[in-house]
Amino acid sequence: MTDEFNTALPSIRQLQTFIKDSTEVEVKLSTSDLVIGKVRWQDANCLCVVDHYDQPTIIWKQAIVFIKPKLA
Amino acid sequence: MTDEFNTALPSIRQLQTFIKDSTEVEVKLSTSDLVIGKVRWQDANCLCVVDHYDQPTIIWKQAIVFIKPKLA
Amino acid sequence: MTDEFNTALPSIRQLQTFIKDSTEVEVKLSTSDLVIGKVRWQDANCLCVVDHYDQPTIIWKQAIVFIKPKLA
Amino acid sequence: MTDEFNTALPSIRQLQTFIKDSTEVEVKLSTSDLVIGKVRWQDANCLCVVDHYDQPTIIWKQAIVFIKPKLA
Amino acid sequence: MTDEFNTALPSIRQLQTFIKDSTEVEVKLSTSDLVIGKVRWQDANCLCVVDHYDQPTIIWKQAIVFIKPKLA
Amino acid sequence: MTDEFNTALPSIRQLQTFIKDSTEVEVKLSTSDLVIGKVRWQDANCLCVVDHYDQPTIIWKQAIVFIKPKLA
């Protein structure tokens, strides 16, 4: 279930840029849940998103449908 | 969860043609969401689609059900 | 997410026969969508089905539930 | 997405027994569809089930939830 | 789609214990179906659960969400 | 369907920390079920969560959407 975790891939680099820039993102999940927050870290299996109250949600990459930067 | 990312495959080349031609496409996702826009880039894990307002959506390939060119 | 794409497999050959014979098929997808048309091509990741108006739908194999030849 | 297709595995042999004995089975799919019929063949990707009218349905193994022999 | 089938893994051993002890279990599936019974056997792809009437259900491991021992 | 089970990965270590600290967590599953409890153990395929009555639920990692520590 592991994505290809090659830091040269555009998708992996895009996530690294979201982390570096503290970009607020919307993550749509396979259950149709929408998680909103900033990406704190990623690895081969997961993505950690923290909300306004600094509460972390550890998202399994297998459940991600799409991610988009939240409009200002 | 990674598709075979071989640029000689018809499906990968078809997406490359959509990118080159700025074809507007409909992407149906596993949540039944429909993302409409132009494909900006693809890699082994993801597809980036931008809408009329140039807002990007980074779609995980694992969640794609089908893609079709939008009728003019 | 890639199926085993071995042209000696009965399932791959069955699809090749549908392509060669221009058999009209029903493709049931994980979203419960039903795509009806003729299979134009397949590769390791995708299946291309064209409808009566010759509009293509590029179906990701990961989303296929079943395929059956449409009754005459 | 390919199951392990080792003919020594109990699950693969169970399906081979259903084929040999023309056992009528119920196949529950990820869309909650229930396909009823006899298993004609299987390979690494698919299972072919034929109904009372001898109409085949080619089921992708990735979409199978469970199979049970139909009660007499 | 095959799980890691290493008999030294706690999860595989837990299932083997359920088989040995004839523990009644609840198996929740991706379609939200709940199968209740005793685990008869497992292999890399499947789990066979038999109900009170000794009817077998062959569950694909890919569709398992969780298993818990049924309360007495 | 097996995640990468490398104990150096942040996501695997995060789960190990939840186990060590007896952190109460919410586990959201692909069926939208929410399992609440403490993580007892994990391996490459599964996660075992025990509730207030010490009843175990063996969760298949393939079905995990997200995990978050429960707020106090």
Side-chain angles (χ1 to χ4, degrees):
Chain A
M1 215 66 167
T2 317
D3 279 347
E4 192 172 332
F5 195 70
N6 175 343
T7 52
L9 283 178
S11 58
I12 301 294
R13 279 189 289 126
Q14 179 63 266
L15 285 173
Q16 291 304 124
T17 303
F18 288 156
I19 294 169
K20 190 167 55 69
D21 296 349
S22 296
T23 309
E24 190 160 51
V25 297
E26 297 183 347
V27 187
K28 178 78 175 235
L29 301 172
S30 59
T31 45
S32 285
D33 286 295
L34 197 66
V35 174
I36 296 173
K38 290 170 180 177
V39 186
R40 184 68 59 81
W41 53 261
Q42 68 167 324
D43 67 12
N45 302 330
C46 294
L47 200 70
C48 178
V49 172
V50 294
D51 66 16
H52 286 256
Y53 305 98
D54 214 42
Q55 295 300 324
T57 298
I58 300 163
I59 296 169
W60 258 249
K61 283 186 169 174
Q62 66 194 5
I64 300 178
V65 174
F66 64 72
I67 296 185
K68 54 180 170 185
K70 209 166 162 336
L71 290 175
Chain B
M1 213 67 167
T2 318
D3 279 347
E4 191 172 333
F5 195 69
N6 175 343
T7 53
L9 283 178
S11 57
I12 301 294
R13 279 189 288 126
Q14 178 63 265
L15 285 173
Q16 291 304 126
T17 302
F18 289 156
I19 294 170
K20 189 167 56 69
D21 296 349
S22 295
T23 309
E24 190 160 51
V25 297
E26 297 183 348
V27 187
K28 179 77 174 235
L29 301 172
S30 59
T31 45
S32 286
D33 286 296
L34 197 66
V35 174
I36 296 173
K38 291 170 180 176
V39 186
R40 183 68 59 80
W41 54 261
Q42 67 167 324
D43 67 12
N45 301 330
C46 293
L47 200 71
C48 178
V49 172
V50 295
D51 67 15
H52 286 256
Y53 306 98
D54 213 41
Q55 295 300 325
T57 299
I58 300 163
I59 295 170
W60 259 249
K61 283 185 170 176
Q62 65 194 6
I64 300 178
V65 174
F66 64 73
I67 295 185
K68 53 180 171 185
K70 210 166 164 330
L71 290 176
Chain C
M1 214 66 166
T2 318
D3 278 347
E4 191 172 334
F5 195 69
N6 176 342
T7 52
L9 283 178
S11 58
I12 302 294
R13 279 189 289 127
Q14 178 63 267
L15 285 173
Q16 291 304 125
T17 303
F18 288 155
I19 294 170
K20 190 167 56 69
D21 297 349
S22 295
T23 308
E24 190 159 51
V25 297
E26 297 182 348
V27 186
K28 178 78 174 236
L29 301 172
S30 59
T31 45
S32 286
D33 287 295
L34 197 66
V35 174
I36 296 173
K38 291 169 181 177
V39 186
R40 184 67 60 81
W41 54 260
Q42 68 168 324
D43 67 12
N45 301 331
C46 294
L47 201 70
C48 179
V49 172
V50 295
D51 67 14
H52 286 258
Y53 305 99
D54 214 41
Q55 296 300 323
T57 299
I58 300 163
I59 295 169
W60 258 249
K61 283 185 170 176
Q62 65 194 8
I64 299 178
V65 174
F66 64 72
I67 295 185
K68 53 181 171 184
K70 210 166 163 333
L71 289 176
Chain D
M1 215 65 166
T2 317
D3 278 347
E4 192 173 332
F5 195 69
N6 176 342
T7 51
L9 282 177
S11 58
I12 302 294
R13 280 189 288 127
Q14 178 64 268
L15 285 173
Q16 291 304 125
T17 302
F18 288 155
I19 294 171
K20 189 166 58 67
D21 297 349
S22 295
T23 308
E24 190 159 50
V25 297
E26 297 183 348
V27 187
K28 179 78 174 236
L29 301 172
S30 59
T31 45
S32 286
D33 287 295
L34 197 65
V35 174
I36 296 173
K38 291 171 180 176
V39 186
R40 184 67 59 82
W41 53 262
Q42 67 168 325
D43 67 12
N45 301 331
C46 294
L47 200 71
C48 179
V49 172
V50 294
D51 66 15
H52 286 258
Y53 305 99
D54 213 42
Q55 295 299 323
T57 299
I58 300 163
I59 295 169
W60 258 249
K61 283 185 170 175
Q62 65 194 6
I64 299 178
V65 174
F66 64 72
I67 295 185
K68 54 181 171 185
K70 209 166 163 335
L71 289 176
Chain E
M1 215 64 167
T2 317
D3 279 347
E4 192 173 330
F5 195 69
N6 175 343
T7 52
L9 282 178
S11 58
I12 301 294
R13 279 190 289 127
Q14 178 64 267
L15 285 174
Q16 290 305 123
T17 302
F18 289 155
I19 294 171
K20 190 167 55 70
D21 297 349
S22 294
T23 309
E24 190 160 51
V25 297
E26 297 183 348
V27 187
K28 179 77 174 234
L29 301 172
S30 60
T31 45
S32 285
D33 287 295
L34 197 67
V35 174
I36 297 173
K38 291 171 180 175
V39 186
R40 184 68 59 81
W41 54 261
Q42 67 168 324
D43 67 12
N45 301 330
C46 294
L47 201 70
C48 178
V49 172
V50 294
D51 66 16
H52 286 257
Y53 305 99
D54 213 42
Q55 295 300 323
T57 299
I58 300 163
I59 295 170
W60 258 248
K61 283 186 170 175
Q62 65 193 5
I64 299 178
V65 174
F66 64 72
I67 295 185
K68 53 180 170 186
K70 208 166 164 335
L71 290 175
Chain F
M1 215 65 166
T2 318
D3 279 348
E4 192 172 331
F5 195 70
N6 175 343
T7 52
L9 282 177
S11 58
I12 301 293
R13 279 189 288 126
Q14 178 63 267
L15 285 174
Q16 291 305 124
T17 303
F18 288 155
I19 294 170
K20 189 166 56 68
D21 297 349
S22 295
T23 309
E24 190 160 51
V25 297
E26 298 183 347
V27 186
K28 179 78 175 233
L29 301 173
S30 59
T31 45
S32 285
D33 287 295
L34 197 66
V35 174
I36 296 173
K38 291 170 180 176
V39 186
R40 184 68 59 83
W41 53 261
Q42 66 167 324
D43 67 12
N45 301 331
C46 294
L47 201 71
C48 178
V49 172
V50 294
D51 66 16
H52 286 257
Y53 305 98
D54 213 42
Q55 295 300 324
T57 299
I58 300 163
I59 295 170
W60 258 249
K61 283 186 169 174
Q62 65 194 5
I64 300 178
V65 173
F66 63 72
I67 295 185
K68 54 181 171 185
K70 209 166 165 332
L71 290 175

